[in-house]
Structures are given as structure tokens and as C-alpha cells.
Coordinates of all heavy atoms in Angstrom, one line a residue:
G1 N 214.3 -59.5 39.3 CA 214.1 -58.2 38.7 C 214.0 -58.4 37.1 O 213.1 -57.8 36.5
D2 N 214.9 -59.1 36.6 CA 214.9 -59.3 35.1 C 213.7 -60.0 34.7 O 213.1 -59.7 33.6 CB 216.2 -60.1 34.7 CG 217.4 -59.3 34.8 OD1 217.4 -58.1 34.9 OD2 218.5 -59.9 34.9
A3 N 213.2 -61.0 35.5 CA 212.0 -61.8 35.1 C 210.8 -60.8 35.1 O 209.9 -60.9 34.3 CB 211.8 -62.9 36.1
F4 N 210.8 -59.9 36.1 CA 209.7 -58.9 36.2 C 209.6 -58.2 34.9 O 208.6 -58.0 34.2 CB 209.9 -57.9 37.3 CG 209.6 -58.4 38.7 CD1 210.1 -57.7 39.7 CD2 209.0 -59.6 39.0 CE1 209.9 -58.1 41.0 CE2 208.7 -60.0 40.2 CZ 209.2 -59.2 41.3
L5 N 210.8 -57.6 34.5 CA 210.8 -56.7 33.3 C 210.5 -57.5 32.0 O 209.8 -57.0 31.2 CB 212.2 -56.1 33.2 CG 212.6 -55.1 34.3 CD1 214.0 -54.6 34.2 CD2 211.6 -53.9 34.3
A6 N 211.1 -58.7 31.9 CA 210.8 -59.5 30.7 C 209.3 -59.8 30.6 O 208.7 -59.7 29.5 CB 211.6 -60.8 30.7
G7 N 208.7 -60.2 31.7 CA 207.3 -60.5 31.7 C 206.4 -59.3 31.3 O 205.4 -59.5 30.6
L8 N 206.8 -58.2 31.9 CA 206.1 -57.0 31.5 C 206.3 -56.6 30.0 O 205.3 -56.2 29.3 CB 206.5 -55.8 32.4 CG 206.1 -55.8 33.8 CD1 206.8 -54.7 34.6 CD2 204.6 -55.6 33.9
A9 N 207.5 -56.7 29.6 CA 207.8 -56.3 28.2 C 207.1 -57.1 27.2 O 206.7 -56.6 26.1 CB 209.3 -56.4 28.0
V10 N 206.9 -58.4 27.4 CA 206.2 -59.2 26.4 C 204.7 -59.4 26.7 O 204.0 -60.0 25.9 CB 206.9 -60.7 26.3 CG1 208.3 -60.5 25.9 CG2 206.7 -61.4 27.6
G11 N 204.3 -58.7 27.7 CA 202.8 -58.7 28.0 C 202.3 -60.0 28.7 O 201.1 -60.2 28.8
W12 N 203.2 -60.8 29.2 CA 202.7 -62.0 30.0 C 202.3 -61.7 31.4 O 201.5 -62.4 32.0 CB 203.9 -63.0 30.0 CG 204.2 -63.7 28.7 CD1 203.5 -63.6 27.5 CD2 205.4 -64.4 28.4 NE1 204.1 -64.3 26.6 CE2 205.3 -64.8 27.1 CE3 206.4 -64.8 29.2 CZ2 206.3 -65.6 26.5 CZ3 207.4 -65.6 28.6 CH2 207.3 -66.0 27.2
L13 N 202.8 -60.6 31.9 CA 202.4 -60.2 33.3 C 202.0 -58.7 33.3 O 202.3 -58.0 32.4 CB 203.6 -60.4 34.2 CG 204.2 -61.8 34.4 CD1 205.5 -61.7 35.1 CD2 203.2 -62.6 35.1
D14 N 201.3 -58.4 34.3 CA 201.0 -56.9 34.5 C 201.4 -56.6 35.9 O 201.7 -57.4 36.8 CB 199.5 -56.7 34.3 CG 198.6 -57.5 35.2 OD1 198.7 -57.3 36.5 OD2 197.8 -58.3 34.7
I15 N 201.5 -55.3 36.2 CA 202.0 -54.8 37.5 C 201.1 -55.4 38.6 O 201.7 -55.8 39.6 CB 202.0 -53.3 37.5 CG1 203.2 -52.7 36.7 CG2 202.0 -52.7 38.9 CD1 204.5 -53.0 37.3
A16 N 199.8 -55.4 38.5 CA 199.0 -55.9 39.6 C 199.3 -57.4 39.9 O 199.4 -57.7 41.1 CB 197.5 -55.8 39.2
T17 N 199.6 -58.2 38.9 CA 199.9 -59.6 39.1 C 201.3 -59.7 39.8 O 201.5 -60.5 40.8 CB 199.9 -60.4 37.8 OG1 198.6 -60.3 37.2 CG2 200.3 -61.8 38.0
L18 N 202.2 -58.9 39.3 CA 203.6 -58.9 39.9 C 203.5 -58.6 41.4 O 204.1 -59.2 42.3 CB 204.5 -58.0 39.2 CG 204.9 -58.4 37.8 CD1 205.7 -57.3 37.1 CD2 205.7 -59.7 37.8
L19 N 202.8 -57.5 41.7 CA 202.8 -57.0 43.1 C 202.0 -58.0 44.0 O 202.4 -58.3 45.1 CB 202.1 -55.7 43.2 CG 202.9 -54.5 42.6 CD1 202.1 -53.2 42.6 CD2 204.2 -54.3 43.2
R20 N 201.0 -58.6 43.5 CA 200.2 -59.6 44.2 C 200.9 -60.9 44.4 O 200.9 -61.5 45.5 CB 198.8 -59.8 43.6 CG 197.9 -60.7 44.4 CD 196.6 -61.1 43.6 NE 197.0 -62.0 42.5 CZ 196.7 -61.7 41.2 NH1 196.1 -60.6 40.9 NH2 197.1 -62.5 40.2
D21 N 201.5 -61.4 43.4 CA 202.0 -62.8 43.4 C 203.5 -62.9 43.7 O 204.0 -63.9 44.1 CB 201.7 -63.5 42.1 CG 200.2 -63.7 41.9 OD1 199.5 -63.6 42.8 OD2 199.9 -64.0 40.7
W22 N 204.3 -61.9 43.4 CA 205.8 -62.0 43.4 C 206.4 -61.2 44.5 O 207.5 -61.5 44.9 CB 206.4 -61.6 42.1 CG 206.1 -62.5 41.0 CD1 205.0 -63.2 40.7 CD2 207.0 -62.8 39.9 NE1 205.1 -63.9 39.5 CE2 206.3 -63.7 39.0 CE3 208.3 -62.4 39.6 CZ2 206.9 -64.2 37.9 CZ3 208.9 -62.9 38.4 CH2 208.2 -63.8 37.6
V23 N 205.8 -60.1 45.0 CA 206.4 -59.2 45.9 C 206.0 -59.5 47.3 O 204.8 -59.5 47.6 CB 206.2 -57.7 45.5 CG1 206.8 -56.8 46.6 CG2 206.7 -57.4 44.1
R24 N 206.9 -59.7 48.2 CA 206.6 -59.9 49.6 C 207.4 -58.9 50.5 O 208.6 -58.7 50.2 CB 206.9 -61.3 50.1 CG 206.2 -62.4 49.4 CD 204.8 -62.5 49.8 NE 204.1 -63.6 49.1 CZ 203.3 -63.4 48.0 NH1 203.2 -62.2 47.5 NH2 202.7 -64.4 47.4
T25 N 206.8 -58.3 51.4 CA 207.5 -57.4 52.3 C 208.0 -58.2 53.5 O 207.2 -58.8 54.2 CB 206.5 -56.3 52.8 OG1 206.0 -55.6 51.7 CG2 207.2 -55.3 53.8
A26 N 209.3 -58.2 53.7 CA 210.0 -58.9 54.7 C 210.0 -58.1 56.0 O 209.8 -58.6 57.1 CB 211.4 -59.3 54.3
R27 N 210.3 -56.8 55.9 CA 210.4 -55.9 57.0 C 209.8 -54.5 56.7 O 209.9 -54.1 55.5 CB 211.8 -55.7 57.5 CG 212.3 -56.8 58.4 CD 213.8 -56.7 58.7 NE 214.0 -55.7 59.8 CZ 215.2 -55.3 60.2 NH1 216.3 -55.8 59.7 NH2 215.3 -54.5 61.2
H28 N 209.3 -53.9 57.6 CA 208.8 -52.5 57.4 C 209.6 -51.6 58.3 O 209.7 -51.8 59.5 CB 207.3 -52.5 57.8 CG 206.7 -51.1 57.5 ND1 206.3 -50.7 56.3 CD2 206.3 -50.2 58.4 CE1 205.8 -49.5 56.4 NE2 205.8 -49.1 57.6
F29 N 210.1 -50.5 57.7 CA 210.9 -49.6 58.5 C 210.1 -48.3 58.7 O 209.5 -47.8 57.7 CB 212.2 -49.3 57.8 CG 213.2 -50.5 57.7 CD1 213.1 -51.4 56.7 CD2 214.1 -50.7 58.8 CE1 213.9 -52.5 56.6 CE2 214.9 -51.8 58.7 CZ 214.8 -52.7 57.7
V30 N 210.2 -47.7 59.9 CA 209.5 -46.5 60.2 C 210.6 -45.5 60.6 O 211.4 -45.8 61.4 CB 208.5 -46.7 61.4 CG1 207.8 -45.4 61.7 CG2 207.5 -47.8 61.0
P31 N 210.5 -44.3 60.0 CA 211.5 -43.2 60.3 C 211.4 -42.9 61.8 O 210.4 -42.9 62.4 CB 211.1 -42.0 59.5 CG 210.2 -42.6 58.4 CD 209.6 -43.8 59.0
D32 N 212.6 -42.6 62.4 CA 212.7 -42.1 63.8 C 212.7 -40.6 63.8 O 213.7 -40.0 63.5 CB 213.9 -42.7 64.4 CG 214.1 -42.4 65.9 OD1 213.3 -41.5 66.4 OD2 215.0 -42.9 66.5
P33 N 211.6 -40.0 64.2 CA 211.6 -38.5 64.2 C 212.7 -37.9 65.1 O 213.2 -36.8 64.8 CB 210.2 -38.2 64.7 CG 209.4 -39.4 64.6 CD 210.4 -40.5 64.6
A34 N 213.1 -38.6 66.1 CA 214.2 -38.0 67.0 C 215.5 -37.9 66.3 O 216.3 -37.1 66.7 CB 214.3 -39.0 68.2
R35 N 215.7 -38.6 65.2 CA 217.0 -38.6 64.5 C 217.0 -37.6 63.3 O 218.0 -37.5 62.6 CB 217.4 -40.0 64.1 CG 217.7 -40.9 65.2 CD 218.1 -42.2 64.8 NE 218.3 -43.1 65.9 CZ 218.9 -44.2 65.9 NH1 219.3 -44.7 64.8 NH2 219.0 -44.9 67.0
H36 N 215.8 -37.1 63.0 CA 215.6 -36.3 61.8 C 216.7 -35.1 61.7 O 217.3 -34.9 60.7 CB 214.2 -35.7 61.8 CG 214.0 -34.8 60.6 ND1 213.8 -35.3 59.3 CD2 213.9 -33.5 60.5 CE1 213.6 -34.2 58.5 NE2 213.7 -33.1 59.2
S37 N 216.9 -34.4 62.8 CA 217.8 -33.2 62.8 C 219.2 -33.7 62.5 O 219.9 -33.0 61.8 CB 217.7 -32.4 64.0 OG 218.1 -33.1 65.1
T38 N 219.6 -34.8 63.1 CA 221.0 -35.3 62.8 C 221.1 -35.6 61.3 O 222.1 -35.2 60.7 CB 221.3 -36.5 63.7 OG1 221.2 -36.1 65.0 CG2 222.7 -37.0 63.4
Y39 N 220.2 -36.4 60.8 CA 220.3 -36.7 59.4 C 220.2 -35.5 58.5 O 220.8 -35.4 57.4 CB 219.2 -37.7 59.0 CG 219.5 -39.1 59.5 CD1 218.7 -39.7 60.4 CD2 220.6 -39.8 59.0 CE1 218.9 -41.0 60.8 CE2 220.9 -41.1 59.4 CZ 220.0 -41.7 60.3 OH 220.3 -42.9 60.8
R40 N 219.4 -34.5 58.9 CA 219.4 -33.3 58.1 C 220.7 -32.6 58.0 O 221.2 -32.1 57.0 CB 218.3 -32.3 58.7 CG 218.0 -31.2 57.7 CD 216.8 -30.4 58.2 NE 217.0 -29.9 59.5 CZ 216.1 -29.6 60.4 NH1 214.8 -29.7 60.0 NH2 216.4 -29.1 61.5
E41 N 221.5 -32.6 59.1 CA 222.8 -32.1 59.2 C 223.8 -32.9 58.2 O 224.6 -32.3 57.5 CB 223.4 -32.1 60.6 CG 222.7 -31.1 61.5 CD 223.2 -31.1 62.9 OE1 224.5 -31.1 63.0 OE2 222.4 -31.2 63.8
Y42 N 223.7 -34.2 58.3 CA 224.5 -35.0 57.4 C 224.2 -34.7 56.0 O 225.1 -34.6 55.1 CB 224.3 -36.5 57.7 CG 225.1 -37.1 58.8 CD1 224.5 -37.4 60.0 CD2 226.5 -37.3 58.7 CE1 225.3 -37.9 61.1 CE2 227.2 -37.9 59.7 CZ 226.6 -38.1 60.9 OH 227.4 -38.7 61.9
Y43 N 222.9 -34.6 55.7 CA 222.5 -34.3 54.3 C 223.0 -33.0 53.8 O 223.4 -32.9 52.6 CB 221.0 -34.4 54.2 CG 220.5 -34.3 52.7 CD1 220.9 -35.2 51.8 CD2 219.7 -33.3 52.4 CE1 220.5 -35.1 50.4 CE2 219.2 -33.1 51.1 CZ 219.6 -34.0 50.1 OH 219.2 -33.9 48.8
A44 N 223.0 -32.0 54.7 CA 223.6 -30.7 54.3 C 225.0 -30.8 53.9 O 225.5 -30.2 52.9 CB 223.3 -29.7 55.4
V45 N 225.8 -31.5 54.7 CA 227.2 -31.7 54.4 C 227.4 -32.4 53.1 O 228.2 -32.1 52.2 CB 228.0 -32.5 55.5 CG1 229.4 -32.8 55.1 CG2 227.9 -31.7 56.8
Y46 N 226.6 -33.5 52.8 CA 226.6 -34.2 51.6 C 226.3 -33.3 50.4 O 227.0 -33.3 49.4 CB 225.6 -35.4 51.6 CG 225.3 -35.9 50.2 CD1 226.2 -36.8 49.6 CD2 224.2 -35.5 49.6 CE1 225.9 -37.3 48.3 CE2 223.9 -36.0 48.3 CZ 224.8 -36.9 47.7 OH 224.5 -37.3 46.4
R47 N 225.3 -32.5 50.5 CA 224.9 -31.5 49.5 C 226.1 -30.5 49.2 O 226.3 -30.1 48.0 CB 223.7 -30.8 49.8 CG 222.4 -31.6 49.9 CD 221.9 -32.0 48.6 NE 221.7 -30.8 47.7 CZ 220.6 -30.4 47.2 NH1 219.5 -31.0 47.5 NH2 220.6 -29.4 46.4
E48 N 226.8 -30.2 50.2 CA 227.9 -29.3 50.0 C 229.1 -30.0 49.3 O 229.8 -29.4 48.5 CB 228.4 -28.7 51.4 CG 229.5 -27.7 51.3 CD 229.9 -27.2 52.7 OE1 229.0 -27.2 53.6 OE2 231.1 -26.9 52.9
L49 N 229.4 -31.2 49.7 CA 230.5 -32.0 49.2 C 230.3 -32.5 47.7 O 231.2 -32.6 46.9 CB 230.9 -33.1 50.1 CG 231.5 -32.8 51.4 CD1 231.6 -34.1 52.2 CD2 232.9 -32.2 51.1
Y50 N 229.1 -32.9 47.4 CA 228.8 -33.6 46.2 C 229.3 -32.8 44.9 O 230.0 -33.4 44.1 CB 227.3 -34.0 46.0 CG 227.1 -34.7 44.8 CD1 227.4 -36.1 44.7 CD2 226.5 -34.1 43.7 CE1 227.2 -36.7 43.5 CE2 226.3 -34.7 42.5 CZ 226.6 -36.1 42.4 OH 226.4 -36.8 41.2
P51 N 228.9 -31.5 44.8 CA 229.4 -30.8 43.6 C 230.9 -30.8 43.4 O 231.4 -30.7 42.3 CB 228.8 -29.4 43.7 CG 227.7 -29.6 44.7 CD 228.1 -30.7 45.6
Q52 N 231.6 -30.8 44.6 CA 233.1 -30.7 44.6 C 233.7 -32.0 44.3 O 234.9 -32.0 43.9 CB 233.5 -30.1 45.9 CG 233.0 -28.8 46.3 CD 233.3 -28.4 47.7 OE1 234.4 -28.7 48.2 NE2 232.4 -27.7 48.3
T53 N 233.0 -33.1 44.5 CA 233.7 -34.4 44.3 C 233.0 -35.3 43.2 O 233.5 -36.4 42.9 CB 233.6 -35.2 45.6 OG1 232.2 -35.4 46.0 CG2 234.3 -34.5 46.7
C54 N 231.9 -34.8 42.7 CA 231.2 -35.6 41.7 C 232.0 -36.1 40.5 O 232.0 -37.3 40.2 CB 230.0 -34.7 41.2 SG 229.1 -35.5 39.9
A55 N 232.8 -35.2 39.9 CA 233.5 -35.7 38.7 C 234.6 -36.7 39.1 O 234.8 -37.7 38.4 CB 234.2 -34.4 38.1
A56 N 235.3 -36.5 40.2 CA 236.3 -37.5 40.7 C 235.6 -38.8 41.0 O 236.2 -39.9 40.7 CB 237.0 -36.9 41.9
M57 N 234.5 -38.8 41.6 CA 233.8 -40.1 42.0 C 233.4 -40.8 40.7 O 233.5 -42.1 40.7 CB 232.6 -39.8 42.9 CG 233.0 -39.3 44.3 SD 234.0 -40.5 45.2 CE 235.4 -39.4 45.6
H58 N 232.9 -40.1 39.7 CA 232.5 -40.8 38.5 C 233.7 -41.3 37.8 O 233.7 -42.4 37.2 CB 231.7 -39.8 37.6 CG 230.3 -39.6 38.0 ND1 229.3 -40.4 37.7 CD2 229.8 -38.6 38.9 CE1 228.2 -40.0 38.3 NE2 228.5 -38.9 39.0
R59 N 234.9 -40.6 37.8 CA 236.1 -41.2 37.2 C 236.5 -42.5 37.9 O 236.9 -43.4 37.3 CB 237.2 -40.1 37.2 CG 237.0 -39.0 36.2 CD 238.3 -38.2 35.9 NE 239.0 -37.8 37.1 CZ 238.9 -36.7 37.8 NH1 238.0 -35.8 37.4 NH2 239.6 -36.4 38.8
L60 N 236.4 -42.5 39.2 CA 236.8 -43.7 40.0 C 235.9 -44.8 39.7 O 236.3 -46.0 39.5 CB 236.7 -43.4 41.5 CG 237.8 -42.5 42.1 CD1 237.5 -42.2 43.5 CD2 239.2 -43.2 42.0
A61 N 234.6 -44.6 39.5 CA 233.6 -45.6 39.2 C 234.0 -46.2 37.8 O 233.9 -47.4 37.6 CB 232.2 -45.1 39.2
H62 N 234.3 -45.3 36.8 CA 234.7 -45.8 35.5 C 235.9 -46.6 35.5 O 236.0 -47.7 34.8 CB 234.8 -44.6 34.5 CG 233.5 -44.0 34.1 ND1 232.7 -44.7 33.2 CD2 232.9 -42.9 34.5 CE1 231.6 -43.9 33.1 NE2 231.7 -42.8 33.8
L63 N 236.9 -46.2 36.3 CA 238.1 -47.0 36.4 C 237.8 -48.4 37.0 O 238.3 -49.4 36.5 CB 239.1 -46.3 37.4 CG 239.8 -45.1 36.8 CD1 240.6 -44.4 37.9 CD2 240.7 -45.4 35.6
A64 N 237.0 -48.5 38.0 CA 236.6 -49.7 38.6 C 235.9 -50.6 37.6 O 236.1 -51.8 37.5 CB 235.8 -49.5 39.9
R65 N 234.9 -50.0 36.9 CA 234.1 -50.7 35.9 C 235.0 -51.3 34.8 O 234.7 -52.4 34.3 CB 233.1 -49.8 35.4 CG 232.1 -50.5 34.4 CD 231.4 -49.5 33.5 NE 232.4 -48.9 32.6 CZ 232.2 -47.7 32.1 NH1 231.2 -47.0 32.4 NH2 233.2 -47.1 31.4
D66 N 236.0 -50.5 34.4 CA 236.8 -51.0 33.3 C 237.9 -51.9 33.7 O 238.7 -52.3 32.9 CB 237.4 -49.7 32.6 CG 236.4 -48.8 31.9 OD1 235.3 -49.3 31.7 OD2 236.7 -47.6 31.7
G67 N 237.9 -52.3 34.9 CA 238.8 -53.4 35.4 C 240.2 -52.9 35.8 O 241.1 -53.7 36.0
V68 N 240.4 -51.6 35.9 CA 241.7 -51.1 36.3 C 241.9 -51.4 37.8 O 243.0 -51.7 38.1 CB 241.8 -49.5 36.1 CG1 243.1 -49.0 36.6 CG2 241.6 -49.2 34.6
V69 N 240.9 -51.4 38.6 CA 241.0 -51.7 40.0 C 240.3 -53.0 40.2 O 239.1 -53.2 39.8 CB 240.3 -50.6 40.8 CG1 240.4 -51.0 42.3 CG2 241.0 -49.3 40.6
S70 N 240.9 -54.0 40.8 CA 240.3 -55.3 41.1 C 240.1 -55.5 42.5 O 240.6 -54.9 43.4 CB 241.0 -56.4 40.4 OG 242.4 -56.4 40.9

């Protein structure tokens, strides 16, 4: 990823070259329509919980990043 960005930044590569020469698709995933309603229910719960837990989750991430938790 860093090599992609560096090559683009200095003009040595372009997106078409990167996609053609560097990117390979290993697997292709297709959504399962039969599971859509279940995932929609999970997403609804996530949307309800996120505003209530967002600040605490960000504080935990900062603690972990700053080395308080190893």
C-alpha cells in the first residue's frame, strides 16, 4: 500500500498501471440474498448502539494506542 501511494505521489505510477500490474483478485464474494434480512436487523441494532457507545469506544482506542493497555 505504501509503495502504491509513493509511486502515485511522485508520478512514477498511475492508477491504470497499478490496477493492471499490481492488483490481483484472489477471491470474489457474492452477497447472499437469503441472509439480507438478518444482517439488516443486526445493522439496526448497531445503529442504535453506536451513538451511545461511540465516545467510550474512542477513549478505549486512545488508551490502547498510547500503550496503557498491552
Side-chain angles (χ1 to χ4, degrees):
D2 291 339
F4 287 165
L5 294 175
L8 286 171
V10 298
W12 290 347
L13 299 168
D14 58 62
I15 284 289
T17 301
L18 290 175
L19 293 176
R20 184 188 66 238
D21 297 343
W22 291 36
V23 177
R24 300 285 180 262
T25 302
R27 279 175 79 180
H28 182 76
F29 293 90
V30 178
D32 181 351
R35 296 182 181 190
H36 177 74
S37 64
T38 300
Y39 283 116
R40 191 170 60 205
E41 290 178 50
Y42 276 105
Y43 185 60
V45 172
Y46 163 79
R47 294 284 308 243
E48 184 180 329
L49 287 173
Y50 182 78
Q52 299 170 37
T53 61
C54 176
M57 292 301 124
H58 285 275
R59 285 196 315 269
L60 287 172
H62 286 285
L63 288 171
R65 183 199 64 209
D66 294 339
V68 175
V69 177
S70 56

